Amino acid sequence: MSIPNLDRANLDYHRECLGRLTADIQPAWGKLTPTRVCTHLSYFIGLSLGDEGELKAIMPRPLQPLMRWVFFELITTWPKGIKSPEFMAPASQAAFEDERDRCLTVLERFIKEMEADPDRKTFSPAFGYVPLSYWARLHGVHFHHHYRQFNLLP
């Protein structure tokens, strides 16, 4: 099965998967709660839209293209327990339903902005400057990882 990108063609798929997430569901692995995974995914979409301000690289620049290829082309089903830096999973500021709604709203905003300017590049601390069209791939693989974590796949 290929992993759906975060784009207009797969919007219903992503809405359905996120719609299966409930406040009381337990992850198959890891420590993220349903609310925290929503804030985490919203953070990453905001990052891709340039909403998170100036961030420092966490990966040496020469390795960034290789890491993009490894994590988003070669190994698209990430292992259980893979972790991002703590600042990329901010604490929740609202109730679960509000955080999930915010995630769905920013997801739709990403798609609109990506369609309007797919070549616009924004900075990823791990992968360098990436065009929104490729962020659609990164988000698809990333979301898929968390859909697996919470057993949300169709």
Side-chain angles (χ1 to χ4, degrees):
M1 171 189 127
S2 72
I3 295 174
N5 288 350
L6 182 56
D7 55 21
R8 177 87 44 215
N10 296 300
L11 179 56
D12 287 341
Y13 166 83
H14 290 288
R15 282 181 182 151
E16 289 170 17
C17 288
L18 287 170
R20 289 186 191 96
L21 187 64
T22 61
D24 59 349
I25 197 168
Q26 294 297 309
W29 72 83
K31 296 179 181 178
L32 286 180
T33 64
T35 306
R36 189 99 182 251
V37 80
C38 289
T39 60
H40 172 66
L41 294 172
S42 295
Y43 174 87
F44 265 92
I45 296 172
L47 177 77
S48 70
L49 293 170
D51 293 349
E52 299 305 323
E54 292 293 320
L55 297 170
K56 293 184 180 187
I58 59 173
M59 182 71 57
R61 188 175 181 154
L63 292 179
Q64 291 170 350
L66 174 64
M67 296 310 290
R68 281 195 303 265
W69 179 75
V70 167
F71 281 99
F72 298 102
E73 302 299 335
L74 182 64
I75 304 171
T76 56
T77 300
W78 297 347
K80 297 173 182 176
I82 193 168
K83 294 182 182 186
S84 60
E86 189 68 26
F87 75 90
M88 293 183 174
S92 305
Q93 300 300 313
F96 166 75
E97 291 80 11
D98 294 331
E99 292 290 358
R100 186 178 59 187
D101 289 348
R102 186 171 75 92
C103 186
L104 288 165
T105 298
V106 73
L107 180 151
E108 291 182 21
R109 179 178 153 226
F110 170 81
I111 291 171
K112 286 178 187 172
E113 291 194 29
M114 191 259 308
E115 289 173 337
D117 191 0
D119 297 326
R120 181 177 130 211
K121 290 185 177 182
T122 58
F123 183 72
S124 161
F127 307 112
Y129 284 92
V130 181
L132 292 182
S133 59
Y134 195 71
W135 273 108
R137 173 70 179 157
L138 284 109
H139 288 316
V141 172
H142 183 207
F143 274 55
H144 179 81
H145 173 73
H146 291 295
Y147 295 162
R148 284 179 46 241
Q149 180 182 21
F150 285 90
N151 297 309
L152 305 175
L153 294 170

